[in-house]
Structure formats: C-alpha cells, structure tokens
Amino acid sequence: MDVTEILKSLTDAFPEAIFEAAAESEIRARAYVDKKKAKEVCQYLKDSLQFDHLCSVCGVDYIKRNELEVVYHIASYNHPVVLTLKARLPRDNPEIESIVSVYWNANWYERETYELFGILFKNHPNLKPLVLPEDMLGEWPLRKDYKGFPNKTARNLV
C-alpha cells in the first residue's frame, strides 16, 4: 500500500472529516481530521490501513489563531508510510476524545499533552499527572502565553 492509496482510502471513508490531506513524500502523509471523528479515524487507520503503531501524540499552540492542535504520528509495521494526523481545537475549550482504546500507548502521550497544554482527552481511563510537579499543575507551561515562555536564559538558543 502506497501513500496515494492510503490517502484515497482515508478521504473516501471519511469525506466529511478529513481535509487538507497530502502526500509529503513517498513515505510521509499528513491530514487534518475533524476533532469529533478523530477516534473513529484512528480506529479505521488501525483496522483497515494497517497503521498499527502510534509513535506520538503532542500539542501545538497557535496563539494568534486562538487554536491548539493535537498531532498524532502513526506508522505501520507492514508498510513504510508514516501519517501525521492533526486536529484543531479552540484554546478556550480544547477537548478531544481519547484514543487509548485504539492505541494503548496513547495513555502516556495524552497525559503529558494534557499537563503541558491543557488539552482534555475525554474518556481517558486515567488522566492523572505524569511529568509536572504538583505546584505547576494547571499552568499549561508549553502554551505560548505561559508566563515563563519562552525561556530566554537557555544556553542552546538557536
């Protein structure tokens, strides 16, 4: 299965939920997904398109657009294509359905993203703190309006 076939299958199966889908190379694809269909799309990717490995889940803050994005990197052990799937969320109420029931390892990624960006993963089985000390819980330190962002004292600034 090549990147073109994968994108066609995905857009045909979810014409109302997949947009801005594109092949970035022969082995890399990207697409946006409607946040209400993200879990269903992930299940389809796993069951029908052999995307059986969730590589990561992370957040991105687009403060000027007043949006956060959840970014999923999903790969396969059976073909070389890696898909970057993104969902846009409003900064004032960033909620999306958890995909832990699809990819078990989303557990830790979603917990970390919740702590650092404040993105709520609905129906997560255990959305408890993972990396932050208790006194920082609820501060969302990777959001661009966080009082300590960016840290201009770091030695490795580019």
Side-chain angles (χ1 to χ4, degrees), residues 7 14 32 45 47-48 66 70 111 134 147:
L7 288 174
F14 298 95
Y32 278 90
L45 287 166
D47 295 344
S48 301
N66 201 31
V70 175
R111 287 170 60 190
E134 280 190 37
K147 66 182 182 264

Side-chain angles (χ1 to χ4, degrees), residues 69-97:
E69 285 184 357
V70 175
V71 181
Y72 305 93
H73 293 100
I74 310 171
S76 173
Y77 295 112
N78 297 305
H79 57 73
V81 178
V82 176
L83 175 66
T84 301
L85 189 65
K86 301 178 181 186
R88 292 182 175 121
L89 309 172
R91 284 182 101 245
D92 60 346
N93 187 25
E95 294 183 353
I96 192 165
E97 189 70 27

Side-chain angles (χ1 to χ4, degrees), residues 2-158:
D2 69 17
V3 70
T4 306
E5 294 170 322
I6 289 166
L7 288 174
K8 181 169 179 7
S9 177
L10 192 58
T11 55
D12 287 351
F14 298 95
E16 76 293 345
I18 298 294
F19 49 99
E20 296 180 41
E24 295 180 337
S25 73
E26 291 180 9
I27 59 169
R28 299 286 291 188
R30 66 173 162 76
Y32 278 90
V33 61
D34 181 309
K35 68 179 184 174
K36 295 175 185 167
K37 295 285 189 173
K39 181 180 174 185
E40 187 179 341
V41 168
C42 286
Q43 191 70 61
Y44 178 80
L45 287 166
K46 185 176 182 183
D47 295 344
S48 301
L49 298 179
Q50 300 176 321
F51 281 89
D52 43 14
H53 177 69
L54 177 68
C55 304
S56 69
V57 178
C58 61
V60 180
D61 185 7
Y62 291 100
I63 194 167
K64 290 180 181 176
R65 293 188 337 217
N66 201 31
E67 289 180 336
L68 296 170
E69 285 184 357
V70 175
V71 181
Y72 305 93
H73 293 100
I74 310 171
S76 173
Y77 295 112
N78 297 305
H79 57 73
V81 178
V82 176
L83 175 66
T84 301
L85 189 65
K86 301 178 181 186
R88 292 182 175 121
L89 309 172
R91 284 182 101 245
D92 60 346
N93 187 25
E95 294 183 353
I96 192 165
E97 189 70 27
S98 172
I99 62 165
V100 170
S101 63
V102 180
Y103 297 108
W104 66 270
N105 62 324
N107 179 21
W108 298 287
Y109 297 133
E110 289 180 357
R111 287 170 60 190
E112 181 181 45
T113 304
Y114 172 67
E115 277 186 273
L116 299 176
F117 287 93
I119 296 170
L120 179 66
F121 292 89
K122 296 184 295 187
N123 297 310
H124 187 284
N126 190 18
L127 200 58
K128 68 179 187 177
L130 181 67
V131 296
L132 290 179
E134 280 190 37
D135 61 336
M136 286 187 71
L137 294 177
E139 291 190 19
W140 326 129
L142 290 186
R143 286 195 183 193
K144 291 181 179 167
D145 56 356
Y146 179 67
K147 66 182 182 264
F149 184 88
N151 179 354
K152 297 190 185 233
T153 63
R155 293 179 187 216
N156 60 351
L157 290 176
V158 179

